[in-house]
């Protein structure tokens, strides 16, 4: 399976519409990949809280339209990162869209864990409530966004729902880059799954971004890692390795906590 992670730079001098069109062009250029992944809140920037209200869009707004068209033109499965969604009741969400190679929408995931503690996303956005998986012909994806990476119970829930490849779209800051790499490897090892984690490059809202998108195999080995600048990280991996790893080292079968134990 061939996956391309688009580590797009979020430049405050580039308009949202210009970046939307540029992202679409980058997706189309990945024709030949099976899966293409964009990062978190790439249209506006994950820390650009001051423009969330202004740039929020309905689920089937301009980002949906442009990304659906790009997926169809490229003939790829497209994890379109995330954007600021305004729900019909006015609530804002950090929302991920996944499109099939024909451009049809296959999944919607609203970020469960909101970052910011008592400010920013944590107070401006609603929290998602559903774990989301997407069945591709080669593997089943489990969806997560940025801060979700710090909550292992979400990933274990995705594995219980059948996920074999965990996809994390992020806008992770440079100052905590060591955590990014460590947690991506930890989620892969503990769940015996692939982790495809893609972040943004550049600086937005005065926050330098970590970049360093990464692909980790079920043993925790790093298959590919980007640098800090805008880059497209393309990697080929074998989805069958998940089942083989779980069979060879069946740690998941020894779980006790979180399961209904015999009396």
């Amino acid at each position: 399976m061939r996956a391309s992670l688009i580590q797009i730079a979020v430049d405050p001098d580039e308009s949202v519409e210009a970046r939307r069109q540029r992202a679409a062009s980058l997706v189309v250029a990945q024709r030949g990949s099976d899966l293409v992944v964009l990062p978190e809140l790439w249209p506006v920037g994950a820390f650009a809280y001051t423009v969330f209200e202004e740039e929020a869009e309905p689920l089937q707004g301009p980002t949906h339209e442009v990304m659906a068209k790009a997926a169809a033109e490229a003939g790829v499965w497209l994890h379109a990162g995330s954007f600021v969604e305004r729900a019909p009741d006015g609530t804002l969400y950090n929302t991920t869209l996944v499109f099939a190679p024909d451009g049809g929408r296959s999944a919607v995931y609203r970020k469960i864990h909101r970052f910011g503690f008592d400010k920013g996303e944590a107070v401006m956005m609603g929290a998602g409530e559903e774990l989301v998986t997407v069945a591709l012909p080669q593997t089943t994806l489990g969806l997560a966004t940025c801060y979700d990476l710090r909550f292992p119970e979400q990933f274990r829930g995705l594995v219980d729902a059948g996920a074999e490849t965990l996809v994390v779209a992020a806008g992770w800051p440079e100052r905590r880059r060591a955590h990014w790499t460590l947690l991506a490897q930890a989620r892969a090892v503990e769940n015996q799954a692939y982790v495809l984690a893609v972040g943004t490059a550049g600086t937005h809202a005065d926050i330098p971004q970590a970049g360093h998108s990464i692909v980790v195999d079920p043993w925790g080995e790093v298959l590919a890692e980007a640098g800090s600048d805008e880059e497209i990280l393309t990697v080929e991996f074998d989805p069958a390795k998940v089942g083989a790893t779980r069979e060879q080292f069946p740690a998941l079968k020894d779980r006790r906590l979180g399961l209904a134990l015999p009396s």
Side-chain angles (χ1 to χ4, degrees), residues 13-25:
D13 293 328
E14 181 181 38
S15 71
V16 170
E17 178 55 26
R19 187 157 47 251
R20 198 180 278 130
Q21 295 300 326
R22 188 164 68 85
S25 296

Side-chain angles (χ1 to χ4, degrees), residues 103-123:
R105 191 178 75 221
S106 294
V108 176
Y109 167 65
R110 288 171 167 172
K111 186 178 180 182
I112 292 173
H113 300 97
R114 298 160 298 168
F115 180 72
F117 307 110
D118 59 351
K119 61 183 179 180
E121 181 185 47
V123 296

Side-chain angles (χ1 to χ4, degrees), residues 95-248:
T95 299
T96 288
L97 302 171
V98 178
F99 297 96
D102 64 359
R105 191 178 75 221
S106 294
V108 176
Y109 167 65
R110 288 171 167 172
K111 186 178 180 182
I112 292 173
H113 300 97
R114 298 160 298 168
F115 180 72
F117 307 110
D118 59 351
K119 61 183 179 180
E121 181 185 47
V123 296
M124 295 181 68
M125 291 181 155
E129 298 180 349
E130 297 182 2
L131 297 177
V132 178
T133 61
V134 186
L136 274 59
Q138 307 95 325
T139 187
T140 297
L141 307 181
L143 308 187
T145 305
C146 203
Y147 194 42
D148 288 337
L149 190 60
R150 293 185 179 273
F151 298 88
E153 61 273 19
Q154 177 169 343
F155 292 83
R156 187 51 53 85
L158 290 168
V159 167
D160 286 346
E164 300 165 318
T165 300
L166 304 166
V167 182
V168 184
W172 202 275
E174 166 60 29
R175 61 177 173 261
R176 291 187 289 275
R177 179 161 62 88
H179 292 184
W180 166 253
T181 304
L182 174 67
L183 292 168
Q185 290 182 273
R187 298 295 87 86
V189 171
E190 70 195 8
N191 293 296
Q192 299 182 306
Y194 284 100
V195 169
L196 278 56
V198 56
T200 49
T203 296
H204 61 263
D206 297 322
I207 305 293
Q209 296 297 288
H212 286 265
S213 299
I214 191 169
V215 177
V216 188
D217 81 0
W219 285 100
E221 296 294 326
V222 176
L223 301 184
E225 183 174 1
S228 57
D229 297 326
E230 180 162 306
E231 182 177 343
I232 296 174
L233 186 68
T234 297
V235 63
E236 294 189 4
F237 63 98
D238 181 7
K241 190 172 183 178
V242 174
T245 300
R246 292 175 181 178
E247 183 66 28
Q248 181 181 356

